[in-house]
Amino acid sequence: MSIISDVIESTKAIIQGMGVTLSYIPKQKWTVQYPEEPVTLQPRYRGQHLLHVDELGREKCVACFLCAAACPSDCIYIIAKDDPRPAEERIGVDERYAEVYNIDYGRCIFCGYCVEACPKDAITHGYNFELSVYNRADLLKTKDDLLITKQIQSKNYRVASSHEDVDSEYIEV
């Protein structure tokens, strides 16, 4: 090819790329003045994990290790313990419960495999997104941090309804 055709091809590519860039300028911005305004989250948002309890306040986790086995980043650590007491006095819903249940958020990729693997629906993703810390050791969350009855949730968010348009880029046609 000649130099002139290379220059013309390059110029076309630059103009085409700048056209895409300039087309985004007049669009409405989706900046939220956090924390003055609440953040709108999608219903499918994966935030900090929640360990659930049943209606009597007993932990649903039976320490089956399926969530830890499904985790690709190996960030879940569990120690199981047997509870021989009668069913009314137990910590969990079954004879076995998780004495230690830790998730290292420094390694967690929020993939949701642990939620899918749980046969008892004991672990889910919540909407808590405020996970920033000053010390890396604080990213290790223990069972007390993850239990739904003890976890401190962010107050400054709302979950979008199913018909509400939140993401300007992904509008269903």
Side-chain angles (χ1 to χ4, degrees):
M1 289 191 160
S2 69
I3 294 176
I4 296 174
S5 62
D6 285 344
V7 170
I8 292 172
E9 293 284 326
S10 299
T11 306
K12 283 183 187 177
I14 290 172
I15 290 172
Q16 184 180 9
M18 290 304 291
V20 171
T21 303
L22 294 175
S23 71
Y24 279 96
I25 290 176
K27 291 190 177 178
Q28 181 183 3
K29 305 299 184 272
W30 287 85
T31 304
V32 176
Q33 299 300 321
Y34 181 79
E36 289 80 25
E37 294 179 33
V39 176
T40 303
L41 301 174
Q42 290 284 354
R44 65 184 180 271
Y45 177 76
R46 295 179 185 153
Q48 185 176 357
H49 295 83
L50 295 171
L51 287 176
H52 292 277
V53 296
D54 67 357
E55 45 290 331
L56 299 175
R58 297 178 300 181
E59 298 170 11
K60 286 186 174 184
C61 180
V62 294
C64 64
F65 296 95
L66 288 176
C67 56
C71 182
S73 60
D74 198 28
C75 66
I76 300 175
Y77 177 74
I78 302 171
I79 296 177
K81 188 172 183 183
D82 290 330
D83 193 355
R85 296 183 288 184
E88 304 82 33
E89 300 174 13
R90 288 186 191 142
I91 292 174
V93 295
D94 205 1
E95 281 187 19
R96 194 164 130 172
Y97 71 98
E99 181 181 31
V100 174
Y101 195 104
N102 295 341
I103 297 179
D104 185 1
Y105 282 105
R107 298 179 71 176
C108 182
I109 58 174
F110 296 92
C111 63
Y113 289 162
C114 55
V115 175
E116 293 175 21
C118 184
K120 301 285 187 177
D121 293 328
I123 185 168
T124 60
H125 281 285
Y127 293 108
N128 196 6
F129 58 88
E130 294 176 335
L131 297 172
S132 60
V133 292
Y134 289 107
N135 185 359
R136 187 171 173 84
D138 293 338
L139 289 172
L140 181 70
K141 301 296 182 182
T142 62
K143 185 167 80 169
D144 283 339
D145 299 327
L146 299 173
L147 276 171
I148 194 167
T149 55
K150 298 180 182 179
Q151 191 176 104
I152 300 169
Q153 290 288 317
S154 173
K155 302 278 189 260
N156 209 4
Y157 75 90
R158 70 180 194 82
V159 179
S161 59
S162 59
H163 60 79
E164 186 176 0
D165 176 32
V166 178
D167 294 335
S168 63
E169 298 293 319
Y170 306 104
I171 299 173
E172 291 184 18
V173 180

